[in-house]
Amino acid sequence: MRDENQSVHLEQLLDRLRDRHAVIGIIGLGYVGLPLALRYAAEGFRVLGIDVDADKVARLNRGGSYIAHIGAAAIEEARAAGFMASTDFARTSEADALIICVPTPLTAYREPDLSFVIGTVESLLPHMRPGQLLSLESTTYPGTTEEELRPRLESRGLRVGQDVFLVFSPEREDPGNPDFHTRTIPKVCGGSTNACLEAGLALYRAAIDTVVPVSSTRAAELTKLLENIHRAVNIGLVNEMKIIADRMGIDIHEVIRAAATKPFGFTPYYPGPGLGGHCIPIDPFYLTWKARQYGLHTRFIELAGEINSDMPGWVVGKVADALNERGRAVMGSRILVLGISYKKDVEDMRESPSVALMELLRARGAAVDYSDPHVPVFPRMREHRFELSSVPLTPSSLASYDVVLLATSHSAFDYDLVRQYANLIVDTRGVYPNRLPNVVQA
């Protein structure tokens, strides 16, 4: 049985979600938060976006976008429906539901860094009121919602499950994937209490086609880690297979294509120069760190992490070998890196292995440039600095480099042009057949 206070707050929230009178607050307007804000606006909710980046906020309020696959028209449509952005956390008191979509990176010691999550919650607390729902979507280790968020809420006298409602619902965005959208990607949700889960399901069912309830916030947190660790481990396996195939003189991409014809029991994963993006290179370490608190050593996960982390070094070794066979050294060579975002056809630079390749080649004395239609100027990054702009691909520019290192296979590249005019191509993505005289697969 719900107590009287719980019933009043929960029923009022459910009513406001049902009739679209609820205000949805999204904290963090990046690759996860912005699509989610647009989704709720499309469903008729008034949406308040909060971000600490004043430039992002100003651009959104002018009707502009800073994410390539989200056009200005989508922003304008949301603004017409009542969406607006702000840097003012005091305004979060206006929202009935608050959804946190902020980064969860690693520290220099490869341990979880929850500073963005904790900082966001601390900024919200002075403005929170009874009747609000708080959802965390940032990927994290099992226990974060109960151990970090719930005590902070209750320290303010807000009873979770009675005054306020707390859930964890992991993000599942795949930027640039035309086959899946925020609405159509099933949403997992776990609540701190049964009443919290009821509120969370009502929140997400208002905007997402399929919502999958789980028994707890911890189960929801581990679900997200399993999804990404599954990919990391399988990519680690195929990267190791790539090294074996290379030593045996076999084209790993041909092998994958052949294996993928099996209609059961096999899912193709593809090798590359390393892992990129905010999730897959980072999330496994959230679980390995937490597992150590239980006296467990996650050997399988950590081995895959080691293999994937070693990939940039292995690729640079292939570049060095290819140059050596042509009587040149890496030092003094001119190398053009083709594609520096972490993923095909997006501008996202988070954890991009291409940047690690550039760093390693520069450390060996190479003169490094890049070409990427999605990244016209090398961005400011916390750990990397290159004063470079994207090089246009022309016959003369391609011919001027000793090596073209294909790191990210954007659709916009003219691969026939590259093949025709590049002196040497080191291909990490299997775009070219290995039998071409100026191509080395890596």
Side-chain angles (χ1 to χ4, degrees):
M1 292 290 291
R2 300 173 183 153
D3 68 28
E4 184 177 352
N5 288 332
Q6 180 182 357
S7 176
V8 168
H9 292 311
L10 181 59
E11 291 304 334
Q12 287 178 346
L13 177 60
L14 295 178
D15 286 344
R16 289 180 65 78
L17 288 167
R18 269 192 296 266
D19 62 22
R20 302 297 198 264
H21 290 161
V23 177
I24 310 298
I26 311 286
I27 298 94
L29 298 173
Y31 288 92
V32 174
L34 184 56
L36 194 61
L38 301 184
R39 179 84 278 279
Y40 277 102
E43 288 295 329
F45 289 93
R46 187 162 73 87
V47 180
L48 173 66
I50 301 290
D51 202 286
V52 296
D53 187 331
D55 291 337
K56 280 185 179 179
V57 166
R59 184 176 297 186
L60 289 171
N61 288 334
R62 290 194 303 267
S65 175
Y66 40 82
I67 296 177
H69 64 278
I70 297 177
I75 305 298
E76 285 289 10
E77 186 176 343
R79 290 179 69 234
F83 167 70
M84 75 167 300
S86 176
T87 59
D88 184 4
F89 274 81
R91 294 201 57 190
T92 58
S93 62
E94 302 170 23
D96 298 285
L98 297 164
I99 304 176
I100 299 175
C101 307
V102 297
T104 44
L106 297 170
T107 69
Y109 303 102
R110 305 198 77 76
E111 294 181 346
D113 178 3
L114 293 182
S115 60
F116 293 99
V117 171
I118 301 305
T120 297
V121 173
E122 294 289 353
S123 297
L124 291 173
L125 283 176
H127 313 292
M128 289 198 67
R129 55 173 173 78
Q132 286 182 309
L133 164 63
L134 181 63
S135 175
L136 177 62
E137 294 207 2
S138 307
T139 304
T140 186
Y141 57 81
T144 300
T145 306
E146 301 302 319
E147 297 164 11
E148 299 291 346
L149 273 63
R150 183 167 182 164
R152 285 176 165 82
L153 289 170
E154 295 186 331
S155 71
R156 295 293 182 120
L158 296 169
R159 296 168 298 174
V160 171
Q162 299 180 42
D163 300 321
V164 294
F165 307 95
L166 179 64
V167 301
F168 182 83
S169 182
E171 59 87 6
R172 276 178 167 170
E173 280 293 322
D174 191 13
N177 188 332
D179 298 323
F180 300 99
H181 305 281
T182 304
R183 176 181 173 180
T184 60
I185 301 171
K187 201 86 168 69
V188 172
C189 184
S192 227
T193 68
N194 289 336
C196 293
L197 178 58
E198 188 176 354
L201 295 178
L203 169 66
Y204 287 111
R205 282 172 177 162
I208 309 298
D209 288 348
T210 303
V211 182
V212 182
V214 293
S215 61
S216 65
T217 57
R218 290 162 56 87
E221 288 159 343
L222 188 56
T223 297
K224 175 61 174 179
L225 293 181
L226 175 60
E227 293 170 11
N228 287 339
I229 289 169
H230 169 263
R231 282 187 56 78
V233 167
N234 279 281
I235 292 170
L237 171 64
V238 79
N239 275 331
E240 188 168 55
M241 290 290 290
K242 172 179 73 173
I243 295 171
I244 296 169
D246 180 78
R247 187 65 60 88
M248 294 180 174
I250 300 169
D251 183 344
I252 187 62
H253 294 278
E254 178 187 6
V255 171
I256 294 168
R257 287 192 296 270
T261 63
K262 184 180 180 181
F264 54 88
F266 181 82
T267 300
Y269 287 83
Y270 299 94
L275 292 182
H278 180 61
C279 291
I280 298 175
I282 292 173
D283 294 354
F285 293 100
Y286 271 72
L287 186 60
T288 59
W289 177 83
K290 191 65 176 179
R292 287 197 294 270
Q293 296 182 8
Y294 291 83
L296 299 173
H297 180 41
T298 53
R299 291 172 292 175
F300 202 72
I301 298 170
E302 292 178 44
L303 177 59
E306 289 175 16
I307 293 168
N308 291 327
S309 296
D310 287 345
M311 278 300 101
W314 186 81
V315 169
V316 168
K318 291 290 290 183
V319 172
D321 290 345
L323 282 168
N324 189 58
E325 289 175 2
R326 290 158 176 80
R328 293 193 60 85
V330 173
M331 180 174 285
S333 291
R334 299 187 72 235
I335 298 176
L336 180 68
V337 177
L338 211 57
I340 63 167
S341 61
Y342 89 88
K343 180 185 176 185
K344 179 179 179 177
D345 297 342
V346 300
E347 77 279 18
D348 193 346
M349 291 286 294
R350 292 175 297 176
E351 306 295 326
S352 174
S354 299
V355 182
L357 293 172
M358 293 171 70
E359 294 275 16
L360 291 170
L361 290 166
R362 184 170 64 176
R364 288 195 177 203
V368 181
D369 289 317
Y370 82 92
S371 181
D372 192 314
H374 301 281
V375 189
V377 177
F378 196 94
R380 292 176 296 173
M381 302 182 74
R382 282 182 292 176
E383 297 178 0
H384 309 284
R385 185 176 180 83
F386 286 90
E387 299 292 340
L388 296 173
S389 297
S390 179
V391 173
L393 295 186
T394 65
S396 59
S397 68
L398 287 165
S400 71
Y401 290 96
D402 298 293
V403 181
V404 173
L405 173 55
L406 202 173
T408 307
S409 52
H410 294 311
S411 300
F413 289 137
D414 185 339
Y415 293 105
D416 287 337
L417 181 77
V418 175
R419 175 190 54 78
Q420 185 175 356
Y421 292 100
N423 295 300
L424 171 64
I425 302 167
V426 176
D427 178 7
T428 73
R429 297 293 183 177
V431 170
Y432 296 105
N434 206 27
R435 62 179 180 273
L436 293 175
N438 63 336
V439 172
V440 172
Q441 288 191 348

